[in-house]
Every structure is written in structure tokens, then in C-alpha cells.
Amino acid sequence: MEECIFCKIVAGEINSNIVYEDDKVIAFKDINPEAPIHHLIIPKKHIPTLLDLQEDDKELIGHIYLVASKIAQDEGIAEDGFRVVSNCNEAGGQSVYHIHYHLLGGRNLQWPPG
């Protein structure tokens, strides 16, 4: 966890462009956006991958989706539509091993994503 870049953001050791924060999560603008709106929503609790989720994390994950909805509304993309994506492990596209959710919107998103 000491090497985790997202834990350093949570701890305030690395600056980020924060769009939302509460006692459970923090959301900030992605430094390499793939859409006009591209934010990362991360739990403050370090959880490496989706495979590491425990039964008592259910409320936290539900909270993350409520935060995604709030941010989408605040950013004005809720009505047109948006996407929430979480990658797991290397072949799934995960590059930072602290679970995180990409909130993407502001343009038409194609399927499949890649």
C-alpha cells in the first residue's frame, strides 16, 4: 500500500484534480482522459482487485455507484448517458492495483469498448 499511487492520492501526498470526496471515496479527473468526462472513483480503503472484495465491502461498492450517479448528474452527462467501468488484473486492463471505477461520458461511447 505504501507504493500505491491511489493510496498516496487518498493520503494527500499526490495532488489530483478532485471532483468529489467523502469519508469512503474520492473521485478525480483521469490524467489520460478517453472521453470529455473521464473521472476515476476510488475507495479510500485499499483493495487491490475486484477479486479481493469481501462480503463487508458490499455497502462500499454500492456507495461508489451512487457517487458515480451523482457525479454524472453534476457534470451534466446523466441524461445523455455515461459508462462506469472497472478492470480486473492485467488481461482485463488493470494498471493500478487499487480498485477503481472509470466514469466516462460527454460523447457517444461505442460497444464493444476494445
Side-chain angles (χ1 to χ4, degrees):
M1 289 190 304
E2 293 148 7
E3 298 297 320
C4 174
I5 190 167
F6 288 170
C7 287
K8 290 179 180 183
I9 290 172
V10 168
E13 297 172 15
I14 295 176
N15 290 328
S16 61
N17 195 339
I18 297 171
V19 297
Y20 178 88
E21 183 174 9
D22 64 26
D23 61 323
K24 296 177 183 160
V25 303
I26 189 168
F28 49 92
K29 292 184 178 186
D30 193 295
I31 59 171
N32 295 309
E34 297 291 334
I37 303 296
H38 186 171
H39 303 322
L40 299 178
I41 305 168
I42 67 169
K44 290 184 174 181
K45 175 183 177 183
H46 181 83
I47 303 169
T49 75
L50 294 176
L51 298 171
D52 297 301
L53 288 168
Q54 301 297 310
E55 187 71 23
D56 61 346
D57 294 319
K58 288 189 302 190
E59 183 180 325
L60 174 61
I61 300 309
H63 181 70
I64 288 169
Y65 278 92
L66 291 173
V67 168
S69 175
K70 179 186 180 344
I71 294 170
Q73 291 173 34
D74 291 349
E75 293 282 0
I77 61 171
E79 189 171 319
D80 286 342
F82 59 96
R83 183 174 291 160
V84 177
V85 177
S86 185
N87 302 320
C88 185
N89 282 332
E90 186 177 349
Q94 185 174 7
S95 59
V96 176
Y97 284 81
H98 181 128
I99 63 169
H100 54 285
Y101 296 78
H102 297 259
L103 171 66
L104 300 128
R107 68 170 172 83
N108 286 333
L109 301 168
Q110 304 300 310
W111 194 261

